[in-house]
PDB file of all heavy atoms in Angstrom:
ATOM      1  N   ALA A   1    -112.212 -15.326  45.827  1.00 94.00           N
ATOM      2  CA  ALA A   1    -113.405 -15.092  45.029  1.00 94.00           C
ATOM      3  C   ALA A   1    -113.129 -14.031  43.980  1.00 94.00           C
ATOM      4  O   ALA A   1    -112.534 -12.996  44.265  1.00 94.00           O
ATOM      5  CB  ALA A   1    -114.572 -14.661  45.910  1.00 94.00           C
ATOM      6  N   SER A   2    -113.564 -14.302  42.777  1.00 94.00           N
ATOM      7  CA  SER A   2    -113.500 -13.316  41.711  1.00 94.00           C
ATOM      8  C   SER A   2    -114.899 -13.081  41.175  1.00 94.00           C
ATOM      9  O   SER A   2    -115.764 -13.954  41.236  1.00 94.00           O
ATOM     10  CB  SER A   2    -112.560 -13.774  40.596  1.00 94.00           C
ATOM     11  OG  SER A   2    -113.020 -14.981  40.004  1.00 94.00           O
ATOM     12  N   GLY A   3    -115.108 -11.903  40.628  1.00 91.00           N
ATOM     13  CA  GLY A   3    -116.433 -11.531  40.189  1.00 91.00           C
ATOM     14  C   GLY A   3    -117.242 -10.966  41.343  1.00 91.00           C
ATOM     15  O   GLY A   3    -116.907 -11.147  42.511  1.00 91.00           O
ATOM     16  N   THR A   4    -118.287 -10.297  41.005  1.00 89.00           N
ATOM     17  CA  THR A   4    -119.141  -9.668  42.001  1.00 89.00           C
ATOM     18  C   THR A   4    -120.167 -10.666  42.514  1.00 89.00           C
ATOM     19  O   THR A   4    -120.923 -11.245  41.734  1.00 89.00           O
ATOM     20  CB  THR A   4    -119.850  -8.444  41.419  1.00 89.00           C
ATOM     21  OG1 THR A   4    -118.875  -7.496  40.965  1.00 89.00           O
ATOM     22  CG2 THR A   4    -120.726  -7.790  42.474  1.00 89.00           C
ATOM     23  N   ILE A   5    -120.183 -10.836  43.818  1.00 90.00           N
ATOM     24  CA  ILE A   5    -121.141 -11.719  44.466  1.00 90.00           C
ATOM     25  C   ILE A   5    -122.047 -10.864  45.340  1.00 90.00           C
ATOM     26  O   ILE A   5    -121.582 -10.237  46.289  1.00 90.00           O
ATOM     27  CB  ILE A   5    -120.453 -12.794  45.307  1.00 90.00           C
ATOM     28  CG1 ILE A   5    -119.455 -13.588  44.464  1.00 90.00           C
ATOM     29  CG2 ILE A   5    -121.493 -13.716  45.924  1.00 90.00           C
ATOM     30  CD1 ILE A   5    -118.674 -14.621  45.242  1.00 90.00           C
ATOM     31  N   ASN A   6    -123.304 -10.854  45.020  1.00 90.00           N
ATOM     32  CA  ASN A   6    -124.255 -10.077  45.806  1.00 90.00           C
ATOM     33  C   ASN A   6    -125.128 -10.982  46.655  1.00 90.00           C
ATOM     34  O   ASN A   6    -125.160 -12.196  46.472  1.00 90.00           O
ATOM     35  CB  ASN A   6    -125.108  -9.186  44.910  1.00 90.00           C
ATOM     36  CG  ASN A   6    -125.806  -9.949  43.802  1.00 90.00           C
ATOM     37  OD1 ASN A   6    -125.899 -11.172  43.817  1.00 90.00           O
ATOM     38  ND2 ASN A   6    -126.311  -9.216  42.822  1.00 90.00           N
ATOM     39  N   ASN A   7    -125.806 -10.358  47.594  1.00 92.00           N
ATOM     40  CA  ASN A   7    -126.767 -11.050  48.450  1.00 92.00           C
ATOM     41  C   ASN A   7    -126.145 -12.197  49.234  1.00 92.00           C
ATOM     42  O   ASN A   7    -126.757 -13.250  49.396  1.00 92.00           O
ATOM     43  CB  ASN A   7    -127.951 -11.555  47.628  1.00 92.00           C
ATOM     44  CG  ASN A   7    -128.643 -10.454  46.862  1.00 92.00           C
ATOM     45  OD1 ASN A   7    -128.522 -10.350  45.644  1.00 92.00           O
ATOM     46  ND2 ASN A   7    -129.369  -9.609  47.581  1.00 92.00           N
ATOM     47  N   ILE A   8    -124.947 -11.985  49.725  1.00 93.00           N
ATOM     48  CA  ILE A   8    -124.282 -13.017  50.508  1.00 93.00           C
ATOM     49  C   ILE A   8    -124.938 -13.111  51.878  1.00 93.00           C
ATOM     50  O   ILE A   8    -124.995 -12.135  52.620  1.00 93.00           O
ATOM     51  CB  ILE A   8    -122.786 -12.735  50.659  1.00 93.00           C
ATOM     52  CG1 ILE A   8    -122.096 -12.780  49.301  1.00 93.00           C
ATOM     53  CG2 ILE A   8    -122.156 -13.745  51.610  1.00 93.00           C
ATOM     54  CD1 ILE A   8    -120.630 -12.395  49.357  1.00 93.00           C
ATOM     55  N   LYS A   9    -125.399 -14.300  52.203  1.00 95.00           N
ATOM     56  CA  LYS A   9    -125.938 -14.558  53.524  1.00 95.00           C
ATOM     57  C   LYS A   9    -124.868 -15.118  54.448  1.00 95.00           C
ATOM     58  O   LYS A   9    -124.788 -14.747  55.621  1.00 95.00           O
ATOM     59  CB  LYS A   9    -127.122 -15.518  53.448  1.00 95.00           C
ATOM     60  CG  LYS A   9    -127.792 -15.779  54.785  1.00 95.00           C
ATOM     61  CD  LYS A   9    -129.006 -16.671  54.629  1.00 95.00           C
ATOM     62  CE  LYS A   9    -129.683 -16.920  55.960  1.00 95.00           C
ATOM     63  NZ  LYS A   9    -130.883 -17.755  55.820  1.00 95.00           N
ATOM     64  N   ALA A  10    -124.067 -16.027  53.917  1.00 96.00           N
ATOM     65  CA  ALA A  10    -123.005 -16.637  54.694  1.00 96.00           C
ATOM     66  C   ALA A  10    -121.977 -17.230  53.750  1.00 96.00           C
ATOM     67  O   ALA A  10    -122.277 -17.535  52.597  1.00 96.00           O
ATOM     68  CB  ALA A  10    -123.551 -17.719  55.621  1.00 96.00           C
ATOM     69  N   MET A  11    -120.790 -17.389  54.258  1.00 97.00           N
ATOM     70  CA  MET A  11    -119.754 -18.119  53.550  1.00 97.00           C
ATOM     71  C   MET A  11    -119.377 -19.319  54.398  1.00 97.00           C
ATOM     72  O   MET A  11    -119.331 -19.228  55.629  1.00 97.00           O
ATOM     73  CB  MET A  11    -118.544 -17.236  53.267  1.00 97.00           C
ATOM     74  CG  MET A  11    -118.886 -16.016  52.432  1.00 97.00           C
ATOM     75  SD  MET A  11    -117.435 -15.062  51.909  1.00 97.00           S
ATOM     76  CE  MET A  11    -116.718 -16.175  50.697  1.00 97.00           C
ATOM     77  N   ASN A  12    -119.128 -20.410  53.733  1.00 98.00           N
ATOM     78  CA  ASN A  12    -118.977 -21.673  54.434  1.00 98.00           C
ATOM     79  C   ASN A  12    -117.802 -22.476  53.900  1.00 98.00           C
ATOM     80  O   ASN A  12    -117.382 -22.324  52.749  1.00 98.00           O
ATOM     81  CB  ASN A  12    -120.234 -22.539  54.271  1.00 98.00           C
ATOM     82  CG  ASN A  12    -121.502 -21.799  54.607  1.00 98.00           C
ATOM     83  OD1 ASN A  12    -121.781 -21.541  55.781  1.00 98.00           O
ATOM     84  ND2 ASN A  12    -122.279 -21.450  53.590  1.00 98.00           N
ATOM     85  N   TRP A  13    -117.306 -23.325  54.766  1.00 98.00           N
ATOM     86  CA  TRP A  13    -116.429 -24.401  54.362  1.00 98.00           C
ATOM     87  C   TRP A  13    -117.152 -25.717  54.580  1.00 98.00           C
ATOM     88  O   TRP A  13    -117.666 -25.971  55.671  1.00 98.00           O
ATOM     89  CB  TRP A  13    -115.122 -24.398  55.155  1.00 98.00           C
ATOM     90  CG  TRP A  13    -114.173 -23.320  54.759  1.00 98.00           C
ATOM     91  CD1 TRP A  13    -113.977 -22.127  55.377  1.00 98.00           C
ATOM     92  CD2 TRP A  13    -113.274 -23.354  53.646  1.00 98.00           C
ATOM     93  NE1 TRP A  13    -113.011 -21.404  54.726  1.00 98.00           N
ATOM     94  CE2 TRP A  13    -112.559 -22.129  53.660  1.00 98.00           C
ATOM     95  CE3 TRP A  13    -112.989 -24.292  52.647  1.00 98.00           C
ATOM     96  CZ2 TRP A  13    -111.583 -21.825  52.701  1.00 98.00           C
ATOM     97  CZ3 TRP A  13    -112.027 -23.984  51.702  1.00 98.00           C
ATOM     98  CH2 TRP A  13    -111.342 -22.766  51.736  1.00 98.00           C
ATOM     99  N   TYR A  14    -117.194 -26.501  53.550  1.00 98.00           N
ATOM    100  CA  TYR A  14    -117.686 -27.860  53.616  1.00 98.00           C
ATOM    101  C   TYR A  14    -116.521 -28.811  53.395  1.00 98.00           C
ATOM    102  O   TYR A  14    -115.481 -28.434  52.875  1.00 98.00           O
ATOM    103  CB  TYR A  14    -118.744 -28.119  52.548  1.00 98.00           C
ATOM    104  CG  TYR A  14    -120.101 -27.521  52.806  1.00 98.00           C
ATOM    105  CD1 TYR A  14    -120.345 -26.177  52.575  1.00 98.00           C
ATOM    106  CD2 TYR A  14    -121.153 -28.314  53.253  1.00 98.00           C
ATOM    107  CE1 TYR A  14    -121.599 -25.627  52.790  1.00 98.00           C
ATOM    108  CE2 TYR A  14    -122.411 -27.778  53.469  1.00 98.00           C
ATOM    109  CZ  TYR A  14    -122.626 -26.434  53.236  1.00 98.00           C
ATOM    110  OH  TYR A  14    -123.886 -25.904  53.443  1.00 98.00           O
ATOM    111  N   ARG A  15    -116.732 -30.055  53.750  1.00 98.00           N
ATOM    112  CA  ARG A  15    -115.747 -31.066  53.419  1.00 98.00           C
ATOM    113  C   ARG A  15    -116.455 -32.364  53.073  1.00 98.00           C
ATOM    114  O   ARG A  15    -117.573 -32.614  53.507  1.00 98.00           O
ATOM    115  CB  ARG A  15    -114.750 -31.296  54.556  1.00 98.00           C
ATOM    116  CG  ARG A  15    -115.324 -31.952  55.797  1.00 98.00           C
ATOM    117  CD  ARG A  15    -114.270 -32.015  56.899  1.00 98.00           C
ATOM    118  NE  ARG A  15    -114.768 -32.665  58.104  1.00 98.00           N
ATOM    119  CZ  ARG A  15    -114.121 -32.698  59.250  1.00 98.00           C
ATOM    120  NH1 ARG A  15    -112.920 -32.118  59.360  1.00 98.00           N
ATOM    121  NH2 ARG A  15    -114.643 -33.319  60.307  1.00 98.00           N
ATOM    122  N   GLN A  16    -115.774 -33.150  52.290  1.00 98.00           N
ATOM    123  CA  GLN A  16    -116.312 -34.436  51.896  1.00 98.00           C
ATOM    124  C   GLN A  16    -115.195 -35.465  51.941  1.00 98.00           C
ATOM    125  O   GLN A  16    -114.239 -35.390  51.170  1.00 98.00           O
ATOM    126  CB  GLN A  16    -116.931 -34.377  50.504  1.00 98.00           C
ATOM    127  CG  GLN A  16    -117.662 -35.641  50.108  1.00 98.00           C
ATOM    128  CD  GLN A  16    -118.527 -35.441  48.881  1.00 98.00           C
ATOM    129  OE1 GLN A  16    -118.315 -34.517  48.103  1.00 98.00           O
ATOM    130  NE2 GLN A  16    -119.511 -36.302  48.706  1.00 98.00           N
ATOM    131  N   ALA A  17    -115.336 -36.387  52.860  1.00 97.00           N
ATOM    132  CA  ALA A  17    -114.397 -37.489  52.969  1.00 97.00           C
ATOM    133  C   ALA A  17    -114.751 -38.552  51.945  1.00 97.00           C
ATOM    134  O   ALA A  17    -115.887 -38.602  51.449  1.00 97.00           O
ATOM    135  CB  ALA A  17    -114.419 -38.065  54.381  1.00 97.00           C
ATOM    136  N   PRO A  18    -113.809 -39.417  51.619  1.00 91.00           N
ATOM    137  CA  PRO A  18    -114.096 -40.452  50.621  1.00 91.00           C
ATOM    138  C   PRO A  18    -115.317 -41.281  50.994  1.00 91.00           C
ATOM    139  O   PRO A  18    -115.452 -41.733  52.133  1.00 91.00           O
ATOM    140  CB  PRO A  18    -112.825 -41.299  50.631  1.00 91.00           C
ATOM    141  CG  PRO A  18    -111.753 -40.357  51.068  1.00 91.00           C
ATOM    142  CD  PRO A  18    -112.413 -39.456  52.072  1.00 91.00           C
ATOM    143  N   GLU A  19    -116.193 -41.446  50.048  1.00 93.00           N
ATOM    144  CA  GLU A  19    -117.393 -42.273  50.188  1.00 93.00           C
ATOM    145  C   GLU A  19    -118.369 -41.757  51.236  1.00 93.00           C
ATOM    146  O   GLU A  19    -119.248 -42.501  51.676  1.00 93.00           O
ATOM    147  CB  GLU A  19    -117.013 -43.723  50.503  1.00 93.00           C
ATOM    148  CG  GLU A  19    -115.982 -44.321  49.555  1.00 93.00           C
ATOM    149  CD  GLU A  19    -116.459 -44.343  48.116  1.00 93.00           C
ATOM    150  OE1 GLU A  19    -117.681 -44.518  47.900  1.00 93.00           O
ATOM    151  OE2 GLU A  19    -115.626 -44.183  47.213  1.00 93.00           O
ATOM    152  N   GLU A  20    -118.234 -40.511  51.619  1.00 96.00           N
ATOM    153  CA  GLU A  20    -119.140 -39.929  52.592  1.00 96.00           C
ATOM    154  C   GLU A  20    -119.834 -38.706  52.007  1.00 96.00           C
ATOM    155  O   GLU A  20    -119.413 -38.159  50.994  1.00 96.00           O
ATOM    156  CB  GLU A  20    -118.397 -39.553  53.873  1.00 96.00           C
ATOM    157  CG  GLU A  20    -117.794 -40.730  54.605  1.00 96.00           C
ATOM    158  CD  GLU A  20    -117.173 -40.338  55.927  1.00 96.00           C
ATOM    159  OE1 GLU A  20    -117.346 -39.183  56.350  1.00 96.00           O
ATOM    160  OE2 GLU A  20    -116.517 -41.203  56.539  1.00 96.00           O
ATOM    161  N   GLN A  21    -120.905 -38.297  52.670  1.00 97.00           N
ATOM    162  CA  GLN A  21    -121.631 -37.118  52.247  1.00 97.00           C
ATOM    163  C   GLN A  21    -120.868 -35.856  52.619  1.00 97.00           C
ATOM    164  O   GLN A  21    -120.081 -35.841  53.561  1.00 97.00           O
ATOM    165  CB  GLN A  21    -123.024 -37.087  52.878  1.00 97.00           C
ATOM    166  CG  GLN A  21    -123.958 -38.169  52.383  1.00 97.00           C
ATOM    167  CD  GLN A  21    -125.354 -38.026  52.948  1.00 97.00           C
ATOM    168  OE1 GLN A  21    -125.544 -37.475  54.028  1.00 97.00           O
ATOM    169  NE2 GLN A  21    -126.338 -38.518  52.222  1.00 97.00           N
ATOM    170  N   ARG A  22    -121.132 -34.826  51.870  1.00 97.00           N
ATOM    171  CA  ARG A  22    -120.533 -33.544  52.168  1.00 97.00           C
ATOM    172  C   ARG A  22    -121.132 -32.981  53.453  1.00 97.00           C
ATOM    173  O   ARG A  22    -122.348 -33.021  53.654  1.00 97.00           O
ATOM    174  CB  ARG A  22    -120.762 -32.583  51.006  1.00 97.00           C
ATOM    175  CG  ARG A  22    -119.993 -31.289  51.090  1.00 97.00           C
ATOM    176  CD  ARG A  22    -120.090 -30.517  49.773  1.00 97.00           C
ATOM    177  NE  ARG A  22    -119.514 -31.273  48.662  1.00 97.00           N
ATOM    178  CZ  ARG A  22    -119.414 -30.812  47.428  1.00 97.00           C
ATOM    179  NH1 ARG A  22    -119.852 -29.597  47.131  1.00 97.00           N
ATOM    180  NH2 ARG A  22    -118.884 -31.574  46.475  1.00 97.00           N
ATOM    181  N   GLU A  23    -120.274 -32.461  54.313  1.00 98.00           N
ATOM    182  CA  GLU A  23    -120.733 -31.917  55.577  1.00 98.00           C
ATOM    183  C   GLU A  23    -120.258 -30.487  55.757  1.00 98.00           C
ATOM    184  O   GLU A  23    -119.182 -30.107  55.292  1.00 98.00           O
ATOM    185  CB  GLU A  23    -120.262 -32.779  56.753  1.00 98.00           C
ATOM    186  CG  GLU A  23    -118.760 -32.797  56.951  1.00 98.00           C
ATOM    187  CD  GLU A  23    -118.332 -33.513  58.222  1.00 98.00           C
ATOM    188  OE1 GLU A  23    -119.163 -33.634  59.146  1.00 98.00           O
ATOM    189  OE2 GLU A  23    -117.163 -33.950  58.283  1.00 98.00           O
ATOM    190  N   LEU A  24    -121.061 -29.723  56.458  1.00 98.00           N
ATOM    191  CA  LEU A  24    -120.718 -28.344  56.771  1.00 98.00           C
ATOM    192  C   LEU A  24    -119.721 -28.322  57.916  1.00 98.00           C
ATOM    193  O   LEU A  24    -119.972 -28.895  58.976  1.00 98.00           O
ATOM    194  CB  LEU A  24    -121.972 -27.559  57.135  1.00 98.00           C
ATOM    195  CG  LEU A  24    -121.795 -26.098  57.537  1.00 98.00           C
ATOM    196  CD1 LEU A  24    -121.195 -25.292  56.395  1.00 98.00           C
ATOM    197  CD2 LEU A  24    -123.134 -25.508  57.962  1.00 98.00           C
ATOM    198  N   VAL A  25    -118.614 -27.638  57.708  1.00 98.00           N
ATOM    199  CA  VAL A  25    -117.554 -27.568  58.700  1.00 98.00           C
ATOM    200  C   VAL A  25    -117.596 -26.266  59.475  1.00 98.00           C
ATOM    201  O   VAL A  25    -117.496 -26.260  60.704  1.00 98.00           O
ATOM    202  CB  VAL A  25    -116.176 -27.733  58.036  1.00 98.00           C
ATOM    203  CG1 VAL A  25    -115.056 -27.535  59.055  1.00 98.00           C
ATOM    204  CG2 VAL A  25    -116.073 -29.099  57.379  1.00 98.00           C
ATOM    205  N   ALA A  26    -117.721 -25.159  58.773  1.00 98.00           N
ATOM    206  CA  ALA A  26    -117.661 -23.853  59.417  1.00 98.00           C
ATOM    207  C   ALA A  26    -118.437 -22.844  58.607  1.00 98.00           C
ATOM    208  O   ALA A  26    -118.515 -22.934  57.375  1.00 98.00           O
ATOM    209  CB  ALA A  26    -116.216 -23.388  59.587  1.00 98.00           C
ATOM    210  N   THR A  27    -119.005 -21.880  59.294  1.00 98.00           N
ATOM    211  CA  THR A  27    -119.823 -20.847  58.687  1.00 98.00           C
ATOM    212  C   THR A  27    -119.437 -19.488  59.241  1.00 98.00           C
ATOM    213  O   THR A  27    -119.159 -19.353  60.435  1.00 98.00           O
ATOM    214  CB  THR A  27    -121.314 -21.091  58.982  1.00 98.00           C
ATOM    215  OG1 THR A  27    -121.735 -22.301  58.364  1.00 98.00           O
ATOM    216  CG2 THR A  27    -122.178 -19.942  58.462  1.00 98.00           C
ATOM    217  N   ILE A  28    -119.424 -18.507  58.385  1.00 97.00           N
ATOM    218  CA  ILE A  28    -119.341 -17.122  58.826  1.00 97.00           C
ATOM    219  C   ILE A  28    -120.415 -16.340  58.091  1.00 97.00           C
ATOM    220  O   ILE A  28    -120.496 -16.370  56.866  1.00 97.00           O
ATOM    221  CB  ILE A  28    -117.931 -16.524  58.620  1.00 97.00           C
ATOM    222  CG1 ILE A  28    -117.875 -15.105  59.186  1.00 97.00           C
ATOM    223  CG2 ILE A  28    -117.499 -16.575  57.168  1.00 97.00           C
ATOM    224  CD1 ILE A  28    -116.454 -14.575  59.334  1.00 97.00           C
ATOM    225  N   THR A  29    -121.262 -15.667  58.845  1.00 96.00           N
ATOM    226  CA  THR A  29    -122.358 -14.926  58.246  1.00 96.00           C
ATOM    227  C   THR A  29    -121.882 -13.572  57.753  1.00 96.00           C
ATOM    228  O   THR A  29    -120.759 -13.138  58.016  1.00 96.00           O
ATOM    229  CB  THR A  29    -123.498 -14.721  59.247  1.00 96.00           C
ATOM    230  OG1 THR A  29    -123.080 -13.800  60.268  1.00 96.00           O
ATOM    231  CG2 THR A  29    -123.901 -16.037  59.889  1.00 96.00           C
ATOM    232  N   SER A  30    -122.766 -12.903  57.055  1.00 92.00           N
ATOM    233  CA  SER A  30    -122.429 -11.579  56.543  1.00 92.00           C
ATOM    234  C   SER A  30    -122.153 -10.588  57.657  1.00 92.00           C
ATOM    235  O   SER A  30    -121.437  -9.601  57.444  1.00 92.00           O
ATOM    236  CB  SER A  30    -123.552 -11.059  55.648  1.00 92.00           C
ATOM    237  OG  SER A  30    -124.773 -10.980  56.354  1.00 92.00           O
ATOM    238  N   SER A  31    -122.689 -10.846  58.837  1.00 94.00           N
ATOM    239  CA  SER A  31    -122.459  -9.976  59.980  1.00 94.00           C
ATOM    240  C   SER A  31    -121.246 -10.390  60.810  1.00 94.00           C
ATOM    241  O   SER A  31    -120.916  -9.724  61.784  1.00 94.00           O
ATOM    242  CB  SER A  31    -123.693  -9.928  60.870  1.00 94.00           C
ATOM    243  OG  SER A  31    -124.019 -11.208  61.363  1.00 94.00           O
ATOM    244  N   GLY A  32    -120.620 -11.498  60.439  1.00 95.00           N
ATOM    245  CA  GLY A  32    -119.412 -11.920  61.110  1.00 95.00           C
ATOM    246  C   GLY A  32    -119.580 -13.010  62.147  1.00 95.00           C
ATOM    247  O   GLY A  32    -118.591 -13.426  62.758  1.00 95.00           O
ATOM    248  N   ASP A  33    -120.780 -13.467  62.362  1.00 97.00           N
ATOM    249  CA  ASP A  33    -120.999 -14.559  63.300  1.00 97.00           C
ATOM    250  C   ASP A  33    -120.465 -15.860  62.726  1.00 97.00           C
ATOM    251  O   ASP A  33    -120.582 -16.117  61.528  1.00 97.00           O
ATOM    252  CB  ASP A  33    -122.476 -14.707  63.619  1.00 97.00           C
ATOM    253  CG  ASP A  33    -123.047 -13.506  64.335  1.00 97.00           C
ATOM    254  OD1 ASP A  33    -122.310 -12.854  65.095  1.00 97.00           O
ATOM    255  OD2 ASP A  33    -124.244 -13.206  64.130  1.00 97.00           O
ATOM    256  N   THR A  34    -119.898 -16.675  63.577  1.00 98.00           N
ATOM    257  CA  THR A  34    -119.309 -17.933  63.140  1.00 98.00           C
ATOM    258  C   THR A  34    -119.955 -19.109  63.837  1.00 98.00           C
ATOM    259  O   THR A  34    -120.502 -18.991  64.938  1.00 98.00           O
ATOM    260  CB  THR A  34    -117.797 -17.963  63.399  1.00 98.00           C
ATOM    261  OG1 THR A  34    -117.545 -17.800  64.801  1.00 98.00           O
ATOM    262  CG2 THR A  34    -117.099 -16.850  62.637  1.00 98.00           C
ATOM    263  N   ASN A  35    -119.875 -20.241  63.191  1.00 98.00           N
ATOM    264  CA  ASN A  35    -120.373 -21.479  63.752  1.00 98.00           C
ATOM    265  C   ASN A  35    -119.539 -22.616  63.188  1.00 98.00           C
ATOM    266  O   ASN A  35    -119.025 -22.524  62.069  1.00 98.00           O
ATOM    267  CB  ASN A  35    -121.850 -21.675  63.435  1.00 98.00           C
ATOM    268  CG  ASN A  35    -122.524 -22.667  64.356  1.00 98.00           C
ATOM    269  OD1 ASN A  35    -121.959 -23.092  65.356  1.00 98.00           O
ATOM    270  ND2 ASN A  35    -123.754 -23.031  64.028  1.00 98.00           N
ATOM    271  N   TYR A  36    -119.423 -23.680  63.961  1.00 98.00           N
ATOM    272  CA  TYR A  36    -118.560 -24.787  63.593  1.00 98.00           C
ATOM    273  C   TYR A  36    -119.219 -26.113  63.886  1.00 98.00           C
ATOM    274  O   TYR A  36    -120.013 -26.246  64.820  1.00 98.00           O
ATOM    275  CB  TYR A  36    -117.241 -24.723  64.372  1.00 98.00           C
ATOM    276  CG  TYR A  36    -116.469 -23.452  64.161  1.00 98.00           C
ATOM    277  CD1 TYR A  36    -116.666 -22.352  64.979  1.00 98.00           C
ATOM    278  CD2 TYR A  36    -115.536 -23.357  63.129  1.00 98.00           C
ATOM    279  CE1 TYR A  36    -115.964 -21.182  64.779  1.00 98.00           C
ATOM    280  CE2 TYR A  36    -114.827 -22.188  62.926  1.00 98.00           C
ATOM    281  CZ  TYR A  36    -115.044 -21.101  63.753  1.00 98.00           C
ATOM    282  OH  TYR A  36    -114.336 -19.942  63.544  1.00 98.00           O
ATOM    283  N   ALA A  37    -118.858 -27.086  63.091  1.00 98.00           N
ATOM    284  CA  ALA A  37    -119.236 -28.444  63.409  1.00 98.00           C
ATOM    285  C   ALA A  37    -118.575 -28.850  64.720  1.00 98.00           C
ATOM    286  O   ALA A  37    -117.452 -28.426  65.024  1.00 98.00           O
ATOM    287  CB  ALA A  37    -118.818 -29.394  62.297  1.00 98.00           C
ATOM    288  N   SER A  38    -119.267 -29.646  65.494  1.00 98.00           N
ATOM    289  CA  SER A  38    -118.735 -30.034  66.792  1.00 98.00           C
ATOM    290  C   SER A  38    -117.388 -30.738  66.675  1.00 98.00           C
ATOM    291  O   SER A  38    -116.537 -30.628  67.560  1.00 98.00           O
ATOM    292  CB  SER A  38    -119.738 -30.926  67.529  1.00 98.00           C
ATOM    293  OG  SER A  38    -120.012 -32.108  66.801  1.00 98.00           O
ATOM    294  N   SER A  39    -117.178 -31.430  65.584  1.00 98.00           N
ATOM    295  CA  SER A  39    -115.950 -32.192  65.412  1.00 98.00           C
ATOM    296  C   SER A  39    -114.720 -31.310  65.222  1.00 98.00           C
ATOM    297  O   SER A  39    -113.596 -31.774  65.417  1.00 98.00           O
ATOM    298  CB  SER A  39    -116.085 -33.146  64.226  1.00 98.00           C
ATOM    299  OG  SER A  39    -116.381 -32.435  63.041  1.00 98.00           O
ATOM    300  N   VAL A  40    -114.924 -30.059  64.850  1.00 98.00           N
ATOM    301  CA  VAL A  40    -113.793 -29.172  64.599  1.00 98.00           C
ATOM    302  C   VAL A  40    -113.765 -27.976  65.533  1.00 98.00           C
ATOM    303  O   VAL A  40    -112.785 -27.214  65.519  1.00 98.00           O
ATOM    304  CB  VAL A  40    -113.764 -28.678  63.141  1.00 98.00           C
ATOM    305  CG1 VAL A  40    -113.837 -29.845  62.174  1.00 98.00           C
ATOM    306  CG2 VAL A  40    -114.900 -27.688  62.876  1.00 98.00           C
ATOM    307  N   LYS A  41    -114.785 -27.812  66.325  1.00 98.00           N
ATOM    308  CA  LYS A  41    -114.873 -26.664  67.217  1.00 98.00           C
ATOM    309  C   LYS A  41    -113.672 -26.636  68.157  1.00 98.00           C
ATOM    310  O   LYS A  41    -113.308 -27.634  68.766  1.00 98.00           O
ATOM    311  CB  LYS A  41    -116.168 -26.714  68.014  1.00 98.00           C
ATOM    312  CG  LYS A  41    -116.479 -25.438  68.784  1.00 98.00           C
ATOM    313  CD  LYS A  41    -117.843 -25.530  69.451  1.00 98.00           C
ATOM    314  CE  LYS A  41    -118.187 -24.252  70.198  1.00 98.00           C
ATOM    315  NZ  LYS A  41    -118.339 -23.116  69.259  1.00 98.00           N
ATOM    316  N   GLY A  42    -113.067 -25.475  68.265  1.00 98.00           N
ATOM    317  CA  GLY A  42    -111.878 -25.316  69.079  1.00 98.00           C
ATOM    318  C   GLY A  42    -110.589 -25.558  68.335  1.00 98.00           C
ATOM    319  O   GLY A  42    -109.515 -25.204  68.843  1.00 98.00           O
ATOM    320  N   ARG A  43    -110.669 -26.155  67.160  1.00 98.00           N
ATOM    321  CA  ARG A  43    -109.481 -26.434  66.367  1.00 98.00           C
ATOM    322  C   ARG A  43    -109.433 -25.623  65.075  1.00 98.00           C
ATOM    323  O   ARG A  43    -108.354 -25.276  64.602  1.00 98.00           O
ATOM    324  CB  ARG A  43    -109.402 -27.917  66.020  1.00 98.00           C
ATOM    325  CG  ARG A  43    -109.328 -28.828  67.238  1.00 98.00           C
ATOM    326  CD  ARG A  43    -109.071 -30.271  66.840  1.00 98.00           C
ATOM    327  NE  ARG A  43    -110.163 -30.813  66.034  1.00 98.00           N
ATOM    328  CZ  ARG A  43    -110.026 -31.255  64.789  1.00 98.00           C
ATOM    329  NH1 ARG A  43    -108.843 -31.223  64.196  1.00 98.00           N
ATOM    330  NH2 ARG A  43    -111.070 -31.749  64.138  1.00 98.00           N
ATOM    331  N   PHE A  44    -110.591 -25.350  64.508  1.00 98.00           N
ATOM    332  CA  PHE A  44    -110.674 -24.622  63.246  1.00 98.00           C
ATOM    333  C   PHE A  44    -111.207 -23.216  63.484  1.00 98.00           C
ATOM    334  O   PHE A  44    -112.030 -22.992  64.378  1.00 98.00           O
ATOM    335  CB  PHE A  44    -111.614 -25.331  62.263  1.00 98.00           C
ATOM    336  CG  PHE A  44    -111.113 -26.628  61.710  1.00 98.00           C
ATOM    337  CD1 PHE A  44    -110.002 -27.266  62.235  1.00 98.00           C
ATOM    338  CD2 PHE A  44    -111.774 -27.219  60.644  1.00 98.00           C
ATOM    339  CE1 PHE A  44    -109.547 -28.470  61.723  1.00 98.00           C
ATOM    340  CE2 PHE A  44    -111.333 -28.420  60.119  1.00 98.00           C
ATOM    341  CZ  PHE A  44    -110.222 -29.044  60.655  1.00 98.00           C
TER     342      PHE A  44
END
């Protein structure tokens, strides 16, 4: 990331497979809590 980013609630990774909708893969909140899609939990 470059530039100043304020008011961050969470940072996320999304992914989009061909011809599919974008899906949330992983989240980390400003406090450090994480969450994962069930399909990647334990691997990512």
